[in-house]
């Protein structure tokens, strides 16, 4: 009997800063899956090379190479893991730009499971706005557990390189990843 295909998760970080706490959550999620959730494979996809959305760049139904490569990664994924910092009560400009490129016809977000995490001051506004955007995209977010991490409240959650070091936060992140795994399988009509 053949082994089941691993669940392919694309991880996107709305912060472009190398040592951002949100990027640290992506690294921690990847480590957790490598150690504890072996049938889930997370691939971090860098959104910084994407040009600003400009439909003048669409020529005869094609997209610039970096956009098409990004769209293919989303298309091939089973689910999406968003690390979404909050900017002015909303998602960051780089993340919104990536979302918009992948929503151009044909929308490659549709019918995928998704999870969202946020590190920073702990505000839920960006997550809730991203969930609203997901309704239009036909992107299905897990409801529980929610993951907001106030990175500035003791005890220290991240090291100086932006790596998650707090054991309780890692455990909460692990539970979110198990939930994403289960929801992805359910959307695909596969039993656990």
């Amino acid at each position: 009997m053949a082994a089941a295909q691993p669940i392919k998760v694309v991880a996107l970080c709305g912060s472009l800063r190398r040592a951002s706490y949100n990027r640290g959550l992506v690294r921690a999620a990847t480590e957790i899956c490598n150690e504890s959730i072996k049938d889930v494979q997370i691939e971090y996809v860098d959104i910084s090379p994407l040009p600003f959305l400009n439909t003048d760049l669409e020529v005869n139904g094609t997209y610039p190479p970096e956009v098409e490569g990004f769209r293919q990664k989303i298309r091939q994924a089973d689910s999406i893991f968003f690390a979404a910092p909050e900017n002015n009560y909303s998602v960051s400009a780089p993340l919104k730009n990536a979302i918009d490129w992948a929503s151009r016809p044909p929308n490659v977000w549709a019918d995928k499971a998704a999870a969202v995490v946020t590190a920073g001051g702990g505000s839920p506004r960006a997550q809730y706005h991203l969930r609203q955007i997901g309704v239009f995209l036909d992107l299905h977010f897990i409801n529980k557990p929610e993951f907001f991490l106030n990175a500035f409240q003791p005890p220290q959650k991240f090291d100086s390189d932006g790596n998650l070091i707090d054991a309780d936060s890692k455990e909460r992140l692990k539970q979110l990843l198990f939930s994403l795994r289960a929801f992805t399988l359910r959307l695909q009509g596969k039993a656990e």
Side-chain angles (χ1 to χ4, degrees), residues 1-154:
M1 180 177 201
Q5 292 288 343
I7 295 170
K8 295 179 186 176
V9 179
V10 163
L12 304 176
C13 181
S15 175
L16 303 182
R17 197 169 60 83
R18 188 174 55 246
S20 83
Y21 295 149
N22 285 282
R23 193 170 293 196
L25 291 177
V26 171
R27 286 191 300 274
T30 303
E31 291 169 9
I32 289 167
C33 288
N34 289 342
E35 295 169 5
S36 305
I37 314 174
K38 304 266 189 207
D39 62 342
V40 175
Q41 295 177 345
I42 295 182
E43 177 184 2
Y44 168 69
V45 175
D46 184 7
I47 61 175
S48 66
L50 296 174
F52 286 123
L53 179 70
N54 178 349
T55 55
D56 288 343
L57 299 175
E58 298 176 28
V59 180
N60 298 324
T62 64
Y63 298 97
E66 55 278 334
V67 172
E68 191 51 49
F70 173 72
R71 289 172 53 82
Q72 286 290 23
K73 293 283 187 185
I74 301 302
R75 183 179 286 118
Q76 294 166 359
D78 297 306
S79 54
I80 312 297
F81 179 89
F82 291 97
E86 181 177 311
N87 293 150
N88 300 319
Y89 290 4
S90 187
V91 297
S92 67
L95 184 56
K96 182 64 166 73
N97 186 58
I99 290 167
D100 291 345
W101 270 122
S103 72
R104 298 292 301 152
N107 170 24
V108 295
W109 300 111
D111 291 325
K112 296 191 185 301
V116 57
V117 297
T118 302
S123 175
R125 290 182 180 111
Q127 283 198 22
Y128 293 154
H129 194 191
L130 182 57
R131 288 171 183 274
Q132 288 176 318
I133 294 166
V135 171
F136 178 80
L137 300 174
D138 199 22
L139 187 62
H140 308 289
F141 283 90
I142 61 170
N143 291 322
K144 299 288 181 185
E146 294 180 304
F147 189 99
F148 309 101
L149 183 57
N150 187 333
F152 308 109
Q153 189 177 58

